[in-house]
Amino acid sequence: MKPFTQAADVLDKELAVKIDGIISAHNGDATQLVGILLDVEAAVERHYIPESAAYYVAQKLGVKPTQVYDVISFYTALHDKPRAKFTLEVCNSAPCRVKDSDKLVETLKRLLNLEVGEVTYDGRFSIEKVPCFGACDVSPAVRVNGVVYGHLDSEERILDMLQQLN
Amino acid sequence: MSNTVHLTINHLPLEVPAGTRIIEAAKMLNIDIPHLCYHPDQTIKAHCRMCMVEVTGQRKLLAACSTVVWEGMEVFTDTKKVYDAQVGVLDLILADHKQNCLSCARNGNCELQKLCRRFNRLLPELPDISSNEPLRIDNPSIVRDPSKCVKCGRCVKVCAEVQGCAALTASNRSGDFKITTAFDLPMDQTDCVLCGQCSLVCPVGAIVEVDNTNDVVRAIQDPRKHVVVQVAPSVRVGLGDEFGMEAGAIVTGKMVTALKMLGFDKVFDTNFSADLTIMEEGSELLDRIKNGGKLPMITSCSPGWVTYMEKQHPELCDNLSTAKSPQGMFGAVVKTYYAQKMGWDPHDIVSVSVMPCTAKKYEASRPELGRDGYRDVDYVLTTRELAKLIRYEGLDLSVLPESEFDSPLGIGSGAGAIFGATGGVMEAALRTAYEVYTGQTLPRLEFEAVRNDVNAIKEATIDLNGTPLKVAIANGLKNAEEIIRRVESGEADYIFIEIMACPGGCIGGGGQPIGTNNAVRDARIKALYELDKSLPLRKSHDNPEIKTIYEEFFGAPLSHRSHELLHTHYHARPKKHDFSHLK
């Protein structure tokens, strides 16, 4: 059997162009590193910063790769490992818990055959519990890549929400 | 505004210059405030909190390393509050530190161990929460042990601020906080040049050199092997530190005795091959000037610098002197010329070198330094490892009698000796280049204009009997980077540049005894120039053994055979991430 090898992490031209745009939107200012990295992460399908992209950002900003890695590893909002294309963030704060967000989590786990923190084999979905993101009025709710889906109090509505994610 | 400040420390009054920090003021009273992250040559970090002291009127304890004294300040370093806080910090650091002290390279020489002794912490008070991360052995020079790291940040500082490499960084936070490389990559895939300055400042055993002492002991015990050793110039002014002698003590003769008692068959002097380097490199310089070769020519003795150039500035590959380093030349000579002379099979020779350097371990492993399936230098020991061997043998270096190096390959000139100091290679080369170029005897051997300070750049114009020669000298890779900037921007038009990766040159190398700081480096530089002055022979081309080796073997500098054995080439190192495909 051939040993499992990982594909080489080579920066593709498309992402490089996007990163160029992000850096110029931040005026090439190295002190805006956190904002730049957040934007890069949003531009990557699996919502993380590949090593090659981090080195590219470092070179463009004239900082050391170690500094970029320090920042990525420091903030929980930044990631250096691939995540899901759609991370289903379920609010874990009191108002949503009162509106039975636990049942929402259980339904998501059953429908996707997934535990919290895991990623589906195709890299599309993961479930995370997060603190309040201000959607108490439509709770129980999930947030996916910045978009809030509310009133998820039945399996039909949850399925409907999942089908909207493409 | 007065320039001095009055304060008391433990009721003792003193006056210090404004801007002094508490820890430095206390030192003036010979009070050593406990510390781990503080280092006299580095900027303030205030990470470890071991140095907290009580100051009257302040609600919280203050870090003595970062707090600047003020007029009327009353400092207390030994109250119950201070003691409890310091012991608390110490216990927490200990809980996160793998305590296999008995088998640690820094056993007996560890700052954390010293603090435990000082605070009488005989048994760990807290459960062990240290990480189980394995040793990182991914290069021939340096081993990292993350489970022993106390996160003081000294290695990160020296790597970024002195060497400008920033191969190491802090990462993550809180319980996951650790010191590592970018993306946790192996050292050889980072900007690391294996200079080992991190191992010199590490207070514990988290970064140490790859240990080759066992290999050398095994070789000595093998009756079939001829074990020869060469010793670099800087070792003889650093080794004494390990045996309680004062900084800069010259221990050449004692060291030779120790090496002979250890059982090395022949004990030779790298100063000899430093002279050989000068013959080749000096001739190369004159050849480049005369025949329009690539200028400026840059020295290539420092393997840390060579790696830095290959990783960061491959465009300079042709600017580096093709002459091998003295270690490399010595290795080649031992396994060819000397083997022939003695009638030995080069495969039966084990060639050992003692170097003040961790990068030399890597240099010796380069394929360019060997032929016919053998390495020119089989094992490289640092000064620290030599001290380990001497202690193993049960010797006290400070009281050993003196003896002489073996001959041939045992005579070195003063020019070879000063190789270890920043500016020394330049001065040695100028002594020879001047006399060869002008055909006249130098009226005065000392070129004070090229003698450099620790962590500094020096520029000079040398008058070669009417021909001006613009030169520059740098030590510390951050200074090297500045020199390169001046060259590449066209700001400067040097002819010859000496670059040493480590602060102060080799005497400040990453393989020197623990405790090597800038004050110690100054003492060692002074010692090497003293040594040079005391020697009857002070010019490489006057070395009788050098004359003999050219007569018997090489013919002349830059001959076909010397090109084959004494010269090498450099190549760009692949980048971890190369973006040339995006253009």
Side-chain angles (χ1 to χ4, degrees):
Chain A
M1 210 171 82
K2 269 175 82 177
F4 175 78
T5 51
Q6 220 172 346
D9 176 14
V10 178
L11 189 67
D12 65 61
K13 206 156 188 168
E14 201 188 321
L15 183 56
V17 170
K18 280 185 194 163
I19 292 174
D20 289 346
I22 289 165
I23 288 175
S24 48
H26 288 271
N27 301 320
D29 180 359
T31 65
Q32 297 187 28
L33 185 56
V34 175
I36 290 168
L37 291 173
L38 281 168
D39 289 353
V40 172
E41 189 159 305
V44 175
E45 185 181 84
R46 295 282 300 267
H47 302 286
Y48 78 114
I49 298 153
E51 193 183 295
S52 58
Y55 273 69
Y56 188 67
V57 168
Q59 194 193 64
K60 282 261 150 186
L61 293 176
V63 300
K64 296 285 181 182
T66 35
Q67 193 187 338
V68 176
Y69 179 67
D70 187 5
V71 168
I72 294 173
S73 65
F74 184 86
Y75 290 105
T76 42
L78 294 169
H79 308 80
D80 67 336
K81 301 273 178 339
R83 298 158 74 217
K85 187 175 176 185
F86 302 110
T87 295
L88 306 160
E89 298 171 332
V90 185
C91 172
N92 199 27
S93 298
C96 279
R97 297 284 300 281
V98 169
K99 294 291 282 285
D100 211 2
S101 68
D102 286 354
K103 192 178 157 203
L104 168 58
V105 172
E106 288 309 313
T107 312
L108 285 171
K109 279 164 68 173
R110 181 167 49 77
L111 288 173
L112 295 167
N113 190 20
L114 205 61
E115 288 297 319
V116 174
E118 287 179 348
V119 181
T120 50
Y121 73 94
D122 59 359
R124 281 176 60 80
F125 296 105
S126 72
I127 310 168
E128 278 178 17
K129 291 188 182 179
V130 300
C132 178
F133 44 78
C136 314
D137 54 331
V138 294
S139 70
V142 302
R143 184 176 59 178
V144 183
N145 297 338
V147 181
V148 172
Y149 300 84
H151 302 299
L152 300 176
D153 41 20
S154 71
E155 189 168 325
E156 290 72 31
R157 285 189 166 154
I158 293 170
L159 270 173
D160 186 46
M161 177 272 295
L162 289 175
Q163 274 154 7
Q164 286 177 54
L165 300 174
N166 262 311
Chain B
M1 273 271 289
S2 163
N3 284 329
T4 61
V5 169
H6 301 79
L7 73 155
T8 66
I9 298 181
N10 302 345
H11 300 297
L12 297 168
L14 80 159
E15 187 179 343
V16 299
T20 305
R21 294 190 163 82
I22 297 174
I23 199 166
E24 291 147 2
K27 208 174 272 172
M28 293 173 195
L29 291 174
N30 294 312
I31 296 173
D32 177 34
I33 295 176
H35 58 269
L36 272 175
C37 71
Y38 170 80
H39 189 284
D41 301 337
Q42 298 190 348
T43 52
I44 299 304
K45 298 169 281 288
H47 281 177
C48 77
R49 319 309 291 178
M50 267 311 300
C51 68
M52 289 186 294
V53 292
E54 199 169 347
V55 175
T56 304
Q58 297 293 307
R59 192 171 56 83
K60 290 188 201 165
L61 298 176
L62 300 180
C65 70
S66 64
T67 309
V68 172
V69 296
W70 59 75
E71 184 61 38
M73 188 185 226
E74 289 178 344
V75 180
F76 295 94
T77 68
D78 56 359
T79 61
K80 180 177 187 301
K81 198 171 163 189
V82 170
Y83 179 89
D84 288 349
Q86 289 179 342
V87 165
V89 167
L90 182 58
D91 279 347
L92 284 168
I93 292 173
L94 275 179
D96 197 11
H97 175 81
K98 191 70 87 200
Q99 293 174 45
N100 48 0
C101 301
L102 294 182
S103 55
C104 176
R106 293 287 296 272
N107 188 16
N109 196 8
C110 165
E111 292 181 39
L112 188 58
Q113 216 174 35
K114 279 182 196 151
L115 286 175
C116 287
R117 194 154 61 219
R118 178 167 169 178
F119 285 95
N120 202 27
R121 301 317 273 174
L122 301 177
L123 281 172
E125 300 267 314
L126 299 174
D128 177 20
I129 54 151
S130 64
S131 88
N132 286 318
E133 273 195 74
L135 285 181
R136 302 293 182 88
I137 310 174
D138 44 37
N139 63 77
S141 297
I142 294 189
V143 191
R144 289 197 302 124
D145 185 350
S147 73
K148 288 199 191 121
C149 178
V150 293
K151 288 96 176 169
C152 69
R154 286 184 189 176
C155 55
V156 176
K157 283 270 176 188
V158 78
C159 195
E161 290 180 1
V162 177
Q163 300 298 55
C165 292
L168 292 167
T169 179
S171 80
N172 297 290
R173 60 171 150 177
S174 187
D176 298 325
F177 181 78
K178 63 174 181 174
I179 305 296
T180 184
T181 57
F183 290 86
D184 231 356
L185 290 165
M187 294 299 267
D188 54 353
Q189 292 181 33
T190 67
D191 293 338
C192 175
V193 300
L194 306 175
C195 72
Q197 287 299 318
C198 49
S199 70
L200 213 46
V201 295
C202 182
V204 296
I207 308 183
V208 297
E209 70 272 34
V210 172
D211 186 292
N212 291 114
T213 55
N214 282 338
D215 302 315
V216 171
V217 169
R218 286 281 170 263
I220 290 173
Q221 289 167 347
D222 186 342
R224 291 164 302 176
K225 298 286 182 194
H226 307 289
V227 188
V228 303
V229 63
Q230 55 161 316
V231 193
S234 298
V235 177
R236 67 205 65 186
V237 294
L239 184 65
D241 296 22
E242 287 267 359
F243 296 90
M245 299 167 79
E246 64 179 286
I250 302 170
V251 298
T252 321
K254 295 173 189 296
M255 176 184 74
V256 175
T257 305
L259 287 163
K260 291 189 171 171
M261 290 181 75
L262 272 164
F264 286 101
D265 295 311
K266 295 287 173 191
V267 181
F268 293 134
D269 197 349
T270 309
N271 290 14
F272 163 81
S273 56
D275 284 336
L276 195 55
T277 301
I278 285 304
M279 296 303 287
E280 295 294 329
E281 196 165 316
S283 307
E284 187 187 359
L285 176 67
L286 294 178
D287 178 66
R288 287 194 191 200
I289 294 172
K290 213 184 287 169
N291 299 322
K294 186 105 170 169
L295 292 171
M297 189 175 92
I298 313 178
T299 58
S300 60
C301 308
S302 167
W305 151 243
V306 171
T307 306
Y308 183 81
M309 181 281 295
E310 287 181 329
K311 284 188 170 182
Q312 306 293 342
H313 294 283
E315 72 277 7
L316 295 174
C317 273
D318 294 335
N319 288 81
L320 253 67
S321 164
T322 61
K324 283 183 187 168
S325 70
Q327 165 178 272
M329 287 199 180
F330 203 101
V333 166
V334 157
K335 293 210 175 176
T336 55
Y337 168 73
Y338 191 72
Q340 262 176 39
K341 214 177 167 79
M342 301 295 284
W344 291 347
D345 179 350
H347 291 90
D348 289 336
I349 301 177
V350 176
S351 159
V352 178
S353 70
V354 186
M355 296 283 142
C357 184
T358 51
K360 286 280 176 197
K361 286 176 186 274
Y362 159 74
E363 183 191 78
S365 77
R366 288 178 74 119
E368 296 90 350
L369 264 67
R371 68 196 58 73
D372 304 337
Y374 62 75
R375 280 168 51 151
D376 284 342
V377 177
D378 295 284
Y379 302 114
V380 179
L381 300 178
T382 60
T383 309
R384 298 193 287 265
E385 287 171 275
L386 174 58
K388 236 191 253 186
L389 282 182
I390 294 174
R391 278 193 288 268
Y392 153 73
E393 191 70 17
L395 304 174
D396 179 0
L397 186 85
S398 61
V399 296
L400 285 179
E402 311 215 335
S403 39
E404 300 277 323
F405 284 106
D406 285 308
S407 179
L409 320 186
I411 297 181
S413 72
I418 57 173
F419 257 58
T422 173
V425 177
M426 177 65 69
E427 183 165 342
L430 290 174
R431 288 181 190 175
T432 292
Y434 183 94
E435 298 204 347
V436 172
Y437 182 79
T438 65
Q440 294 173 359
T441 307
L442 261 178
R444 197 177 130 73
L445 282 179
E446 288 83 5
F447 286 88
E448 268 94 6
V450 302
R451 295 188 178 178
N452 197 8
D453 294 326
V454 174
N455 252 323
I457 291 176
K458 198 147 191 186
E459 293 174 316
T461 305
I462 304 298
D463 177 20
L464 285 189
N465 209 11
T467 315
L469 182 71
K470 277 188 118 175
V471 301
I473 301 107
N475 66 85
L477 289 172
K478 205 161 194 184
N479 292 322
E481 185 63 39
E482 168 61 17
I483 290 271
I484 295 166
R485 191 197 60 75
R486 288 183 199 175
V487 169
E488 295 195 335
S489 67
E491 206 174 290
D493 54 343
Y494 312 120
I495 302 294
F496 188 30
I497 301 171
E498 178 205 296
I499 294 178
M500 293 293 155
C502 288
C506 307
I507 50 89
Q512 291 284 56
I514 301 300
T516 298
N517 57 32
N518 289 348
V520 172
R521 289 181 169 102
D522 287 337
R524 289 188 191 142
I525 291 177
K526 231 175 114 204
L528 280 184
Y529 285 118
E530 286 294 314
L531 195 62
D532 167 44
K533 232 185 203 165
S534 73
L535 289 172
L537 193 64
R538 297 182 66 191
K539 291 178 275 191
S540 301
H541 55 287
D542 285 352
N543 184 337
E545 291 187 344
I546 291 290
K547 288 179 180 167
T548 309
I549 202 172
Y550 276 110
E551 275 163 25
E552 292 183 359
F553 196 66
F554 287 115
L558 307 184
S559 68
H560 178 71
R561 189 174 248 172
S562 65
H563 264 295
E564 195 183 304
L565 295 176
L566 306 180
H567 289 257
T568 184
H569 51 87
Y570 313 97
H571 48 83
R573 301 280 193 92
K575 292 239 180 251
K576 178 63 191 158
H577 290 284
D578 182 11
F579 303 115
S580 54
H581 64 285
L582 298 172
K583 300 263 152 59

